[in-house]
Amino acid sequence: MTTKMSFGAWVKLCCVLVLLCCCYFGKYFCSSDMYIANTLFVEEEGFTAKTLSSMFALGYFASIFGKLAAGALCDAIGGRFVIILSASGYVGCTFLLSIVPSGPEHHLQIFLVWAGIGFFALGLAWVAIVAVATNWIPRPYLGRLMGLVSMAPQLGDAIARLTLAPLLDFGWRAVFRAASLWGLGLLAPVALFIPNAPASSLAEQTEGPSTPYSPTTPVEKFDNYLSKLRILVVNPFLWFLCLLSGSLYGTRTLFLLYSTSFLTQVYCQDADDFDHCVHSGKAMRATAMASSGYTILGCFSVLIVGMMRDKLPNRHRGAILTVFCAPLFGCLAYLMTMGLSLPYNLAVVMVWLIGFCLFGPYKILGAVFAVDVGGKELKSTCTGLMGVSDNLFAILMLLGKGYIGDDWGKMFSVLAGLSFISLGSAAAVWRRDLNIIRKAGGHRQNSLALLGNH
């Protein structure tokens, strides 16, 4: 049935989605602040590279519990409450960190406030944004509009880097205080004006199915959940997806954290006084703004991968992943051989290209492939397992960076090996697509085993 929405309904829906995305930008002001100012932070607070990486690893571990808690809270209370809870947590922790006294005796406080409580709050955010957004979006538009909403993390990180980088001249505490104010300001419209769900569904203004929100019945009904879960966990395809998602996310995490540091060291490699250059405001401003291209190109990647996924036949859906993972491996293998000896402009281009190759495949895994393999009744379980895999890989990468330090040759060797795992997993997904189509006699059907239909 053709779905039509009135102009007023479209305007209302677009306003809700824009405000939700802007609110989510606040999360990135309160997380990208550390990525931008980590050089100043380490210098002033006396953190070693190992200690800083351990703090990030603790944060990602805490965010696992945030993601798990968000699912239960959104179902029981509603996503809007969780958005306010999450933003209150990460805004408050960001501000508290900016006023914690300096010195090694306060490192434990920094660990608990920012890495523990702060990252737990950050882990709540995306699940809550999705919960509210899907309450408002009519089903016929769910995939397209949620695809646009899923670009919010990349845009938020880029906007935060461009906005906060000029404040580096005033110290890392000024960056954190500004980030907390931005986070609070971006939360306010959602807290004041956006309800958890429309009072009367926008679907009532359409000729088509309703939104995924139902105020009287559960969103998901699990029939024979345990028996289906047993089928799911012995399906090797699930673990290929987890391995692929985790390896991509681990690489993505490391570049989000350290792309600015890497570019700064390349930028200063020919300077007369390397140490002074690395800590100069000029170098940090230039590389912080240059690193924003990593996430900006990632946004284009999400759009391109989404369109390719819709256009290609089912038997070649896995090809999308392979096509992007192959140049990713090539870029990292090249950086492995060059280390810090490549020209600065080429280093910037390589970082941008890595972002382009990473973001699109990673987003489509969580948005599409998790739903395909889990079916209607186990899609959330699949998404959760992939999320846990993502965080575990991120923790391993952060701990590895802490032990390796600034030896970027070794770090890129690890990342090249990780990207090779991604490429192998993507090829396995493609091969499974082809095999299922072949066994089905060439019929056009879903190439993945939809367990919810069994």
Side-chain angles (χ1 to χ4, degrees):
M1 179 182 293
T2 301
T3 301
K4 297 180 180 179
M5 289 180 61
S6 67
F7 178 75
W10 270 114
V11 171
K12 187 174 184 180
L13 176 60
C14 290
C15 289
V16 168
L17 296 182
V18 168
L19 289 178
L20 287 174
C21 288
C22 289
C23 179
Y24 197 62
F25 292 166
K27 171 197 169 180
Y28 278 85
F29 275 94
C30 295
S31 59
S32 296
D33 51 5
M34 181 63 82
Y35 309 153
I36 295 168
N38 72 81
T39 302
L40 282 176
F41 183 81
V42 169
E43 179 184 14
E44 294 183 19
E45 299 303 321
F47 275 75
T48 64
K50 180 179 178 180
T51 305
L52 186 62
S53 292
S54 298
M55 185 171 75
F56 281 124
L58 173 63
Y60 277 94
F61 184 74
S63 72
I64 292 176
F65 296 98
K67 292 175 181 178
L68 294 174
L73 287 173
C74 288
D75 287 340
I77 304 174
R80 178 177 175 273
F81 171 81
V82 181
I83 290 175
I84 297 173
L85 179 66
S86 173
S88 300
Y90 59 68
V91 167
C93 286
T94 300
F95 181 76
L96 285 175
L97 184 59
S98 72
I99 61 175
V100 170
S102 298
E105 65 272 18
H106 299 290
H107 283 184
L108 180 60
Q109 294 175 334
I110 293 174
F111 262 75
L112 293 177
V113 169
W114 193 79
I117 304 172
F119 262 81
F120 177 86
L122 291 170
L124 297 169
W126 179 242
V127 178
I129 292 291
V130 171
V132 175
T134 53
N135 286 347
W136 285 81
I137 301 174
R139 287 187 184 277
Y141 304 101
L142 189 61
R144 284 166 285 179
L145 293 179
M146 283 306 297
L148 293 173
V149 172
S150 71
M151 293 172 59
Q154 289 76 45
L155 289 173
D157 178 68
I159 292 171
R161 288 173 184 260
L162 291 171
T163 304
L164 297 178
L167 299 176
L168 287 169
D169 286 338
F170 302 97
W172 70 267
R173 294 180 186 276
V175 173
F176 274 64
R177 287 167 185 160
S180 64
L181 290 175
W182 273 105
L184 184 61
L186 292 169
L187 165 68
V190 171
L192 295 174
F193 304 117
I194 304 298
N196 184 59
S200 60
S201 174
L202 286 178
E204 294 176 4
Q205 305 172 53
T206 70
E207 298 176 10
S210 63
T211 67
Y213 174 68
S214 174
T216 57
T217 59
V219 175
E220 294 286 345
K221 293 182 179 180
F222 294 98
D223 180 28
N224 299 322
Y225 176 80
L226 292 179
S227 63
K228 292 179 182 289
L229 182 61
R230 294 190 194 101
I231 299 173
L232 176 67
V233 297
V234 298
N235 184 357
F237 185 70
L238 167 66
W239 304 112
F240 275 124
L241 289 180
C242 288
L243 188 62
L244 176 57
S245 180
S247 57
L248 290 174
Y249 188 77
T251 306
R252 168 190 174 275
T253 298
L254 198 70
F255 267 87
L256 277 176
L257 296 177
Y258 292 106
S259 58
T260 302
S261 176
F262 168 67
L263 291 177
T264 301
Q265 293 186 44
V266 176
Y267 182 89
C268 296
Q269 62 182 328
D270 296 326
D272 295 332
D273 188 343
F274 178 81
D275 290 336
H276 179 266
C277 178
V278 166
H279 296 100
S280 68
K282 178 182 177 181
M284 286 186 286
R285 282 195 305 272
T287 55
M289 297 186 72
S291 66
S292 65
Y294 169 79
T295 46
I296 292 174
L297 281 183
C299 293
F300 288 102
S301 173
V302 172
L303 293 176
I304 292 171
V305 171
M307 288 188 291
M308 289 177 64
R309 197 271 174 190
D310 290 338
K311 297 294 184 181
L312 288 175
N314 288 342
R315 64 181 180 275
H316 293 312
R317 287 187 303 181
I320 305 169
L321 306 175
T322 308
V323 164
F324 278 80
C325 288
L328 173 63
F329 171 69
C331 289
L332 290 170
Y334 177 74
L335 290 177
M336 175 184 68
T337 62
M338 297 298 292
L340 296 177
S341 61
L342 72 169
Y344 173 70
N345 289 337
L346 180 57
V348 172
V349 171
M350 296 300 288
V351 169
W352 288 10
L353 185 56
I354 288 170
F356 180 79
C357 295
L358 269 174
F359 279 92
Y362 170 71
K363 287 296 181 181
I364 202 173
L365 284 170
V368 177
F369 281 79
V371 176
D372 284 343
V373 74
K376 180 179 180 181
E377 296 181 0
L378 292 179
K379 61 184 180 182
S380 298
T381 302
C382 288
T383 304
L385 289 173
M386 290 170 67
V388 171
S389 175
D390 294 346
N391 280 46
L392 291 176
F393 268 88
I395 291 170
L396 290 175
M397 286 295 98
L398 292 169
L399 293 176
K401 178 62 174 68
Y403 281 103
I404 293 172
D406 290 331
D407 189 338
W408 284 98
K410 291 181 180 178
M411 193 69 249
F412 285 124
S413 298
V414 174
L415 290 176
L418 198 61
S419 65
F420 185 75
I421 294 174
S422 300
L423 180 58
S425 300
V429 171
W430 189 10
R431 181 178 180 182
R432 181 180 174 86
D433 277 344
L434 293 173
N435 287 342
I436 291 178
I437 293 294
R438 191 178 298 116
K439 291 177 180 178
H443 292 295
R444 293 178 61 85
Q445 63 176 33
N446 193 324
S447 64
L448 304 178
L450 303 183
L451 298 179
N453 296 331
H454 288 181

